[in-house]
Amino acid sequence: MYAHPWDGSFNHAVLEETIKTLKQNGQEYTLIDLNKDGFNPVLTESELSVYGKSGYKDPLVDKYIKILKATDKIVFVFPIWWIGAPAILKGFFDKVFLKDKIISFENPSMTKVKKALLLTTSELTTDALVNEFTDPIRVLNYPIKSMGAKEILWHNFGNIILSEEPERVDYLNNVSGFVEELL
Ligand SMILES: Cc1cc2nc3c(=O)[nH]c(=O)nc-3n(C[C@H](O)[C@H](O)[C@H](O)COP(=O)(O)O)c2cc1C
C-alpha cells in the first residue's frame, strides 16, 4: 500500500527497497499505488447512502477489497502529513474498510491479515511526533486492528528535512530488515 504522489520522493525509494526485499524473499505481492490508480478518497453523498449496508460505487473499492481479502500481511509506505496519513490513504480507510467485508466489530478476523508494517517519514523527529503531538500510528492502529491484524510494526524516518545523504542511505539499507521482520 503506497501513498505518495511523486516517484522522485524518498518514500518512493522506500517502496523500491520494500519490493526488492519481497522479491528476494520469494514473497508474492500486489502493489496498491493509490495515486497512480487515481483513487478518489472522498466518500460522496451517493456512496454514503449505501455505506450503512456496506455498499460501494467506486470500482476501485471492489478491486481493493479483493486484494485485501487475498493477503495475510500488509506493508504501508507513506509520509506523515499533518500528523497523520495523506488524505488519499485516509480515504482508503473511509471507502474500503466496510463492515462485514474488511472489518467487523463482532468477528475480529474478517480478513486473513495478521501482521502489518508501517514505513513512514516525517519532518518532525519520531519522538516529537509521538510525544508532542497525537501519535499518528496509534490512530491508524484502529482501522488496521479492525481488519484483524494482531501485530503492527512501525518504523519512521524522522527529521527527514535535516537528514544528510549517509543517514538516508543507512535508513534505506535497513528497510530490507524491517520487511523481513514482517515476513
Ligand atoms: C501536506 C504536508 C503536510 C505535512 N505535515 C507534516 C507533519 O504534520 N509532521 C511532519 O513531521 N512532517 C510533515 N510534513 C513533511 C513530510 O512528512 C515530509 O516532507 C516527508 O516525510 C518527506 O518524504 P518525501 O521526500 O518522500 O516526500 C508534511 C508535508 C506535506 C507536503
Side-chain angles (χ1 to χ4, degrees), residues 13-146:
V14 173
L15 174 70
E16 283 174 352
E17 282 302 311
T18 301
I19 290 175
K20 196 169 93 187
T21 309
L22 293 174
K23 285 182 177 164
Q24 278 166 352
N25 284 273
Q27 175 71 58
E28 278 183 40
Y29 69 92
T30 305
L31 170 63
I32 296 178
D33 183 334
L34 293 170
N35 291 275
K36 286 263 155 52
D37 282 354
F39 177 64
N40 175 9
V42 177
L43 187 66
T44 63
E45 184 179 9
S46 84
E47 287 171 322
L48 187 64
S49 70
V50 294
Y51 177 86
K53 293 197 166 77
S54 297
Y56 51 88
K57 302 196 172 182
D58 182 341
L60 278 175
V61 171
D62 193 55
K63 173 182 156 181
Y64 296 155
I65 287 174
K66 287 188 178 116
I67 294 172
L68 291 177
K69 286 279 196 191
T71 191
D72 61 353
K73 300 175 197 88
I74 307 187
V75 184
F76 292 84
V77 178
F78 61 96
I80 298 296
W81 284 1
W82 291 114
I83 318 295
I88 204 163
L89 178 54
K90 170 64 170 56
F92 177 79
F93 295 125
D94 292 345
K95 286 177 67 171
V96 180
F97 278 41
L98 296 167
K99 195 165 175 297
D100 300 326
K101 288 203 161 65
I102 295 298
I103 61 157
S104 164
F105 299 109
E106 295 83 40
N107 169 10
S109 302
M110 275 314 294
T111 69
K112 292 180 289 183
V113 174
K114 293 285 165 280
K115 280 173 99 174
L117 168 64
L118 282 72
L119 298 177
T120 60
T121 60
S122 64
E123 189 170 336
L124 290 166
T125 63
T126 306
D127 181 59
L129 211 55
V130 171
N131 297 315
E132 288 176 34
F133 298 92
T134 308
D135 176 351
I137 304 308
R138 270 190 68 193
V139 175
L140 292 174
N141 276 352
Y142 181 51
I144 296 170
K145 283 195 172 157
S146 300

